[in-house]
Amino acid sequence: MSPSMKIRVEPAHLKKITKREMAVRFVFGAVISVAAALIGRAWGEVTGGVFLAFPAILAATLTLIQHEEHNRRPAAQDARGAILGAAGMIVYAACVWVLATRIPTPLALLAGLGAWAVVSAALYFLVWDVFRRGRSGSGR
């Protein structure tokens, strides 16, 4: 990734989002959440939890980015970030699952949060470095 592709916050872009776009995102997220709840009711909380972990906003966001910018690059960046975030969430879930019955719950959740942060940051910097090296043409 180039330095311009680093994670950044640009509040000015919030003014460009229309009410219709926000409504689409909200409705899509709500539909995914309701579907996860119904799945959980039908097949158990564990199964419903897996579906609830699905980043409900991702598909709507990718669709809107693709539509607005007519370019696959921003959508690909969002998808890459979602994959890295999902890997971090898997580590979080595994950490809490292993620790929840062994230590107090708040500590298990805190340990999971720390594991998520470390893994997600490490993956981000690893991927950023790989893309930076690939674009600059330098080898190892």
Side-chain angles (χ1 to χ4, degrees), residues 12-33:
H13 286 284
L14 292 174
K15 294 177 183 176
K16 296 179 183 178
I17 299 173
T18 67
K19 289 180 182 179
R20 181 184 176 279
E21 291 169 337
M22 289 301 278
V24 167
R25 293 174 186 178
F26 176 79
V27 168
F28 187 80
V31 167
I32 293 297
S33 297

Side-chain angles (χ1 to χ4, degrees), residues 4-127:
S4 66
M5 294 171 56
K6 278 188 170 181
I7 295 174
R8 63 187 177 277
V9 176
E10 297 178 9
H13 286 284
L14 292 174
K15 294 177 183 176
K16 296 179 183 178
I17 299 173
T18 67
K19 289 180 182 179
R20 181 184 176 279
E21 291 169 337
M22 289 301 278
V24 167
R25 293 174 186 178
F26 176 79
V27 168
F28 187 80
V31 167
I32 293 297
S33 297
V34 168
L38 294 173
I39 290 169
R41 215 172 229 192
W43 291 288
E45 294 87 13
V46 172
T47 306
V50 170
F51 283 90
L52 194 56
F54 175 79
I57 303 301
L58 178 64
T61 303
L62 295 178
T63 301
L64 290 171
I65 289 171
Q66 181 71 22
H67 173 72
E68 288 298 317
E69 299 193 16
H70 306 291
N71 184 343
R72 290 181 184 222
R73 188 176 208 163
Q77 291 170 3
D78 273 6
R80 188 179 307 114
I83 291 168
L84 298 178
M89 286 302 293
I90 290 168
V91 170
Y92 170 84
C95 184
V96 172
W97 183 65
V98 167
L99 296 176
T101 59
R102 294 181 171 97
I103 63 175
T105 303
L107 291 177
L109 294 172
L110 198 57
L113 178 64
W116 167 81
V118 168
V119 168
S120 294
L123 287 173
Y124 169 76
F125 288 115
L126 176 69
V127 168

